[in-house]
Amino acid sequence: VWLEFRRVLFRSSLRQEIIYVVENFEPRVELNSVDVNVNFDEDGYDILIDYSIVGLPEKTDSITIFLERTRI
């Protein structure tokens, strides 16, 4: 139970950190959504970032990233 709680807490702070970095350091895009989900089977996080490119009307794109542990 504690491990699951830590993962949920980390997921929330990871999402907030992604939003902060993109909004403050990448002025060419506007975030539409950031989804972070725990992937227990692969011991990591599935991250989906949906964004729009500023100045291009109706142009949206998304990127999917898998963030995994590098230490055991």
Side-chain angles (χ1 to χ4, degrees):
V1 174
W2 174 248
L3 179 61
E4 187 173 332
F5 174 74
R6 284 183 47 192
R7 286 182 184 235
V8 170
L9 185 61
F10 181 74
R11 178 184 70 184
S12 176
S13 63
L14 177 60
R15 180 180 178 278
Q16 294 295 358
E17 192 65 27
I18 291 168
I19 291 169
Y20 173 80
V21 168
V22 173
E23 287 181 346
N24 288 285
F25 298 105
E26 186 47 79
R28 297 170 290 185
V29 301
E30 180 179 310
L31 286 176
N32 299 322
S33 66
V34 176
D35 296 318
V36 177
N37 295 302
V38 179
N39 184 327
F40 289 104
D41 295 334
E42 297 183 32
D43 196 27
Y45 296 88
D46 294 313
I47 303 168
L48 174 64
I49 302 172
D50 185 52
Y51 61 93
S52 300
I53 298 174
V54 174
L56 295 178
E58 300 183 30
K59 173 65 175 151
T60 62
D61 207 348
S62 63
I63 184 170
T64 303
I65 301 166
F66 178 71
L67 182 64
E68 64 182 322
R69 267 180 82 146
T70 57
R71 291 179 21 183
I72 296 179

